[in-house]
Amino acid sequence: MLERVRTGVVGFDEITGGGFAKNSVVLLAGNPGSGKTTFGAEFILNGIRFGEPGVYVSFIELKDEFLRNMRNIGLNFDGLEEAGMFRFIEGLNLRSEKAIEAVISQVLDAVTRIKARRIVFDSITAITSILGRREIRGFLHSVLTRIIKVNDLTALLIAEVPFGAEQVGWGVEEFIVDAVIMLKVIPTETGLIKRVLRIEKMRGVNVEHASYEFIISKGGIRVYVPPDLSMVGAVEDERLKTGVGELDKMLNGGLKRGSVTLVAGPSGTGKSLLAMQFCISGASRGEKAVFLSYEEPACQVESLIREFKRGVEGEVHVISVSPRRMTPGAHFDMFRRLFDEEKPSRLVVDGLTTLEKAYSEAEFFEMIRGLTILSKANKTTTMLTIAKDIVKEEVPIATIVDNIIALWFEVEENTVKRKITVLKERRSPHGVEIKELNFEDGRIWVYG
């Protein structure tokens, strides 16, 4: 069985089934600013945490500059050299093959002294600019033989790929190594930068998808891995009160714990207020309730909640975000962190129409699908709102959710009235009657 070396990069080991093959040579190529050095630094730092000393050879940065830049994003190498677990080698003054050989000698000495198990060369583009096509092949074979293979190392060779180019260096590098990973920077239509990791080659590893979006945040790289349906937790039989008595009757006692409900209706029908009451009802029972809004600032939502609470105990945590400031991968990472850090019992995601406008149809659908999977895996009872007249128009995400509550307007005797019904409640009997919805004295009333 192929022995693996974990990179420790969030998401990467998951998609590769455990990381790199032990003692393999990996070419990590990418555009400027795509995160190559960050990936390399994490590979070394996480290796040290796993008990594997590492050497970082840089042809582009001074040691102090590297350490400072990494510290700024939460990758701290302080004290590791003194502990005999890390060596940083500067190779900035490369002007000839003789200078390259001098650096290689330093590398061999460092590897031997700390009994290194991992090594990064950043970047070999500096070397290829000095050597010719034939010489670079010879150099790589020399590095592979003299340093990597003989010393039982797992190696990462970083290479620069200019924007618009596809070939790495002289075009021979990727044929010599065991794996090739490409990092790309892609501008989006909204003016954001999306970073994509593509596995071009990885011997002995079957990768399900070729490309994955990733972000660089505090702590390093986080690869967005689409959640697997196997994560889904079972919806429980316990019913949670919505805070609106008549609606609970229509739902046969309330919403099942762990279910996902879509509240759909045109603007002004009361979706947000209904969802707000759902949160308040949970908070009053001591449950952790989170209200995520895409359309209103947090202070405005909090003010409305105070009006609705009317002395009811319990707090609702309000979060307000702008989807236009995040790529799909960054957005899903926000969802994942929300569940990990907040651990909500009840969650409202208000204003999916705004979210839908920020992404493509496929991206939006996949994002909501991922949200529902995370919600079920964390046994969170979730309510989503969207400004769609679901009675008259198709709403693709309706197939994902467990329950659908429809709101709409009707004109009766020259009066506009809000209507409500339960269109769907998966695997459960529910009322099919149409009732009237109204707001009086800071309360929600359903009757008729």
Side-chain angles (χ1 to χ4, degrees), residues 167-393:
Q167 180 175 293
V168 179
W170 287 100
V172 300
E173 293 87 337
E174 55 249 65
F175 296 103
I176 298 171
V177 298
D178 302 300
V180 179
I181 300 168
M182 295 286 290
L183 304 183
K184 292 190 175 183
V185 175
I186 303 173
T188 67
E189 293 181 0
T190 57
L192 299 175
I193 292 295
K194 182 164 73 172
R195 292 181 171 91
V196 174
L197 178 151
R198 183 173 179 84
I199 299 174
E200 302 279 356
K201 166 185 172 183
M202 190 166 281
R203 290 173 185 161
V205 177
N206 182 26
V207 181
E208 186 176 353
H209 300 286
S211 296
Y212 297 84
E213 186 184 345
F214 69 95
I215 63 170
I216 301 175
S217 61
K218 199 71 174 177
I221 288 174
R222 299 175 67 91
V223 180
Y224 164 46
V225 184
D228 196 308
L229 285 171
S230 63
M231 290 177 61
V232 176
V235 174
E236 299 177 6
D237 290 332
E238 180 190 358
R239 298 274 180 170
L240 303 185
K241 302 295 184 183
T242 64
V244 182
E246 195 62 30
L247 177 59
D248 288 336
K249 292 179 183 177
M250 296 170 69
L251 291 164
N252 200 32
L255 297 171
K256 285 188 174 183
R257 183 178 293 280
S259 64
V260 179
T261 301
L262 179 66
V263 180
S267 179
T269 49
K271 302 179 300 299
S272 297
L273 296 180
L274 195 65
M276 201 174 288
Q277 186 62 56
F278 169 71
C279 269
I280 293 170
S281 178
S284 69
R285 291 170 169 80
E287 298 180 55
K288 180 64 178 290
V290 175
F291 192 103
L292 171 62
S293 175
Y294 289 119
E295 295 181 339
E296 297 180 88
C299 59
Q300 189 168 313
V301 176
E302 289 165 351
S303 177
L304 279 170
I305 287 175
R306 283 194 294 271
E307 288 183 31
F308 263 72
K309 283 178 67 176
R310 291 181 174 268
V312 175
E313 294 298 319
E315 292 300 320
V316 176
H317 183 196
V318 178
I319 303 171
S320 179
V321 297
S322 171
R324 291 190 172 276
R325 295 183 179 181
M326 290 181 281
T327 63
H331 210 123
F332 187 80
D333 187 66
M334 181 201 72
F335 285 146
R336 195 183 291 275
R337 284 187 287 107
L338 187 152
F339 284 106
D340 289 345
E341 297 170 8
E342 299 290 338
K343 295 178 172 53
S345 175
R346 298 193 185 201
L347 171 65
V348 165
V349 181
D350 185 41
L352 290 186
T353 309
T354 299
L355 184 67
E356 185 180 26
K357 291 175 181 177
Y359 304 111
S360 70
E361 183 178 343
E363 288 172 337
F364 174 68
F365 187 89
E366 183 61 28
M367 194 176 297
I368 301 305
R369 174 184 171 275
L371 172 60
T372 60
I373 292 173
L374 284 177
S375 180
K376 290 174 182 293
N378 287 275
K379 298 182 180 180
T380 300
T381 310
T382 299
M383 185 174 283
L384 315 173
T385 75
I386 191 167
K388 301 272 188 179
D389 190 342
I390 198 167
V391 176
K392 297 179 180 178
E393 61 181 311

Side-chain angles (χ1 to χ4, degrees), residues 47-58:
I48 294 169
R49 290 168 180 163
F50 303 147
E52 300 180 357
V55 175
Y56 200 101
V57 187
S58 178

